[in-house]
Amino acid sequence: MAEEIFNEMYDGGTVRDIYASLEDWTTAMPGDLRQMKQAEAEALFRRIGITFAVYGEGGDPDRLIPFDMFPRVFSQDEWRRLERGIKQRARALNAFLVDVYGRGEIVRAGRVPGHLVYRNEAYEKAVVGFVPPKGVFSHIVGIDIVRTGPTDFLVLEDNCRTPSGVSYMLENREIMMRMFPELFRNARIEPVDAYPTLLRRTLASVAPERCEGEPTIAILTPGHFNSAYYEHSFLADQMGVELVEGPDLFVEAGRLWMRTTEGPKRLDVLYRRIDDGFLDPLCFRPDSMLGVAGVMDVYRSGGVTIASAPGAGVADDKAVYTYVPEMIRFYLGEEPILQNVPTWQCARPDDLGYVLDNLGELVVKEVHGSGGYGMLVGPKSTAEQIASFADLLRAHPENYIAQPTLALSTCPSFVAEGVAPRHVDLRPYCLVGDKIELVPGGLTRVALREGSLVVNSSQGGGVKDTWVLAE
Amino acid sequence: MILTVAHRTTYRYDAPIRLAVQSLRLTPSVFDGQVTERWSAVVEGGERGPGYRDGAGDWVESWSLRGPADAVAVVVEGQVETRDLDGLLRGHRELVRPPVYLRDTPSTLADVMLTDFARDVAGSESEALAQAHALAAAVTDAIAYRPGTTAAHTTAAEAFAQGEGVCQDHAHALIAAARVVGLPARYVSGYLLAGEDGTAHEAAHAWAEIHVGALGWVGFDPANRCCPDARYIRLSSGFDAQDAAPIRGIAQGAGSESLEVAVAVAAAQQ
């Protein structure tokens, strides 16, 4: 990479203002204290049970995601701009979803190719013609953002279905406040702990038409074997709502019911953490044991709200992603505040040719992939790896997109040798109901391996507390 | 033509069930080819949830039946006035875009044989409508009507390879072939007035629709080598048989299930 890497803490040899208090904090902290604190943090994470099962890597399924105690900091100005950009994007993505399940104006206008939408696996025929309450399909939009310069923030991808990781945002803060209360006395850091309350309010605001009175909300989890189960139970607990599994629910008389010790209780809003395909064996996969038979009929007839709405995934596909700036212009009549990463669509012959010629410098991703699997990071790959990936690309170009290898910004991190810069990204969680809200913060993921650009927890990434400084 | 329908589907259980939930698409489609004069589709002893019209134009009703029960009976009774539109689905309101029906499903995925077949047959025609007709005729020739040779889960490729099957297999094979040559295609469930000479098969019937440009959706019944006419009543559509099923249900209980179907379609005396 020829481009210079932006260090978020240091401007050359000088510490940026927003990191001043942290500079004092680390220099004053002896190495043995740091190790003690690191062990304490790990024990706390173990005790609260926040672990993350890593698919396909074997080993300990209850492995902790490494927690890096060195916080990442944003100024109020930086955050305001991010916030406007994120909310803008969340509005456009929802407008797109309402449109493509309705008249499809953006396709008719030739601004998004129809085949990307209508032939997309995530496009659900079963919800065509249905507008969910308040016109919201994606109630929690997780937008992955990387930084390449002082004011250069780029959106890496959108997550419109069930973005995970918000429990880390909350627990990271909780643990930092417990271990280093003095840090929070010295700096004015915007709180993030309103998130569960805001999530609950957001979900309540999209209760279906047929709901009378205070809506009853539940979180539907696939069960304790799921890698994000901790988060499901954590959010249910924090919001004060039930955590349910498919067998706890049933459909009768056109409504959705939850079995409780006091008899059946009607459910109005279901925050589901299972994929569309498993939601309803009468509508999608008939072999699914995780969902509720008949729930799609209840949904379509206005008896329950499902969040995120079935079909929301068509907006966060990596091929559709390219068109989000177009969506912002088309639906909102605004210019995008946050830019996309330049993306080559391998389905286009010209793009494919370029990608094949420059594989060594590009990052290539599967269109439908997630979690950092099935991707090629050109500069970090051997000639053989590049050659075998080129074969995959030629066989199924439509399955891949490519992006330049970005010079991701770094943030200081605690590593074995002391403090060293490591690459980071950011996932804020935007809530969309009758209002659009964003707590000041998000999940910062950090690539703890030296030089690594892959922040996914499945690939050796860790997490950090993320601060937005108050004015 | 005025057609009357009496259709009873009974699911029996060898141990009582606690609850049955069903999603029914058993109401005649609304289009220029049919006018419903009277119609009722109910789950006997069940409770009706609110219905809705889905994006494909089908009327869907959710039913539930609280147990204990040994059987669940879905009973359809009604009368429809039909008109021959040469297979055209004129005046049908739907929102799903035709390209959506280019998507493959496991039962309609063409293998190499079916792909070559489709390209061969359609290759000699340039117009979409002519291609659709050619494919429908070729599927009729390629798959002999022989009940009992295939099962509900038989795929288009399997039926095509063995060269025999029933209306579901004909429809699946035609859908698979049409999609190979870029024509959106879908599965249709409905009823058919059987011929007195026994030529028209299966009163609870299935056929395919292919989208051909300006004409829109056109029905093809490869099992009977024709396009749907006044003898047909259209109910519902989908990517394949499973997706277009007029009855989808689930029963909570420990027992095993057996199925009994009685269908009678008759032309009313005028």
Side-chain angles (χ1 to χ4, degrees), chain B residues 118-131:
Chain B
R119 290 195 179 131
D120 270 7
V121 171
S124 52
E125 305 289 347
S126 53
E127 296 288 315
L129 183 62
Q131 288 183 329

Side-chain angles (χ1 to χ4, degrees), chain A residues 293-324:
Chain A
V295 71
M296 282 301 288
D297 284 347
V298 180
Y299 173 68
R300 289 245 16 196
S301 57
V304 69
T305 296
I306 299 176
S308 62
V314 72
D316 67 14
D317 182 275
K318 289 191 184 68
V320 171
Y321 153 89
T322 325
Y323 296 90
V324 178

Side-chain angles (χ1 to χ4, degrees), chain B residues 54-251:
Chain B
D54 72 10
D58 298 341
W59 181 253
V60 188
E61 272 180 9
S62 162
W63 285 77
S64 55
L65 182 136
R66 163 117 345 234
D70 299 320
V72 177
V74 182
V75 183
V76 179
E77 202 279 320
Q79 184 164 303
V80 178
E81 184 178 355
T82 59
R83 211 147 58 95
D84 182 3
L85 296 179
D86 299 320
L88 298 188
L89 188 64
R90 212 165 60 207
H92 186 247
R93 287 180 52 119
E94 58 181 297
L95 281 161
V96 181
R97 301 295 185 288
V100 173
Y101 296 97
L102 286 167
R103 195 181 302 176
D104 290 317
T105 66
S107 3
T108 57
L109 183 66
D111 60 357
V112 176
M113 239 173 88
L114 198 42
T115 302
D116 289 348
F117 162 84
R119 290 195 179 131
D120 270 7
V121 171
S124 52
E125 305 289 347
S126 53
E127 296 288 315
L129 183 62
Q131 288 183 329
H133 274 290
L135 288 170
V139 166
T140 309
D141 293 337
I143 302 178
Y145 180 77
R146 217 159 279 152
T149 53
T150 51
H153 54 77
T154 303
T155 67
E158 288 162 357
F160 182 77
Q162 72 180 52
E164 48 191 13
V166 293
C167 64
Q168 172 177 314
D169 304 302
H170 285 103
H172 277 164
L174 177 54
I175 291 163
R179 288 180 189 155
V180 164
V181 297
L183 297 174
R186 66 188 178 190
Y187 192 98
V188 180
S189 297
Y191 297 110
L192 169 59
L193 174 69
E196 281 163 16
D197 54 356
T199 45
H201 318 293
E202 300 172 86
H205 194 49
W207 57 97
E209 280 173 356
I210 299 178
H211 195 266
V212 284
L215 279 182
W217 290 103
V218 181
F220 293 89
D221 179 5
N224 291 301
R225 203 185 285 277
C226 66
C227 287
D229 53 29
R231 297 168 299 152
Y232 290 70
I233 297 174
R234 187 187 189 279
L235 291 176
S236 58
S237 71
F239 293 124
D240 57 17
Q242 182 192 302
D243 191 44
I247 303 177
R248 290 195 197 188
I250 206 163

Side-chain angles (χ1 to χ4, degrees), chain A residues 8-41:
Chain A
E8 296 192 0
M9 178 161 169
Y10 293 100
D11 183 3
T14 50
V15 177
R16 297 178 201 278
D17 286 350
I18 55 173
Y19 275 92
S21 68
L22 289 173
E23 162 83 355
D24 301 341
W25 173 66
T26 38
T27 34
M29 194 186 326
D32 53 345
L33 176 64
R34 180 167 69 77
Q35 276 164 15
M36 207 180 78
K37 286 287 185 187
Q38 193 71 54
E40 187 187 335

Side-chain angles (χ1 to χ4, degrees), chain A residues 102-104 108 118-121 123 125 128-129 210 250-254 259 282-283 286 293 297 300-301, chain B residues 19 21 23 47 50 52-53 55 60 62 64 66 95-97 99-103 239 242-243 248-250 252:
Chain A
R103 289 182 45 81
R108 288 165 196 257
Y118 301 128
R119 300 192 63 181
N120 196 307
E121 289 287 322
Y123 186 81
K125 173 169 67 70
V128 172
R210 289 203 271 128
F250 64 95
V251 164
E252 191 172 11
R259 296 177 220 275
L282 300 194
C283 185
D297 284 347
R300 289 245 16 196
S301 57
Chain B
L19 176 72
V21 181
S23 179
E47 192 163 355
Y52 64 96
R53 196 165 295 285
V60 188
S62 162
S64 55
R66 163 117 345 234
L95 281 161
V96 181
R97 301 295 185 288
V100 173
Y101 296 97
L102 286 167
R103 195 181 302 176
F239 293 124
Q242 182 192 302
D243 191 44
R248 290 195 197 188
I250 206 163
Q252 295 177 357

Side-chain angles (χ1 to χ4, degrees), chain A residues 180-199:
Chain A
F180 304 105
E182 72 282 4
L183 279 179
F184 293 83
R185 277 196 298 272
N186 299 340
R188 292 182 54 212
I189 300 154
E190 298 261 20
V192 291
D193 59 359
Y195 182 84
T197 309
L198 289 178
L199 175 57

Side-chain angles (χ1 to χ4, degrees), chain B residues 27-70:
Chain B
T27 303
S29 310
V30 179
F31 74 105
D32 295 352
Q34 54 194 33
V35 175
T36 303
E37 297 187 329
R38 57 183 169 80
W39 198 264
S40 119
V42 299
V43 175
E44 272 183 354
E47 192 163 355
R48 187 199 303 256
Y52 64 96
R53 196 165 295 285
D54 72 10
D58 298 341
W59 181 253
V60 188
E61 272 180 9
S62 162
W63 285 77
S64 55
L65 182 136
R66 163 117 345 234
D70 299 320

Side-chain angles (χ1 to χ4, degrees), chain A residues 216 248-252 255-267, chain B residues 19 66:
Chain A
T216 305
D248 301 327
L249 305 178
F250 64 95
V251 164
E252 191 172 11
R255 296 305 290 259
L256 177 63
W257 305 87
M258 165 171 70
R259 296 177 220 275
T260 76
T261 47
E262 290 112 51
K265 185 162 170 53
R266 201 190 64 221
L267 270 186
Chain B
L19 176 72
R66 163 117 345 234

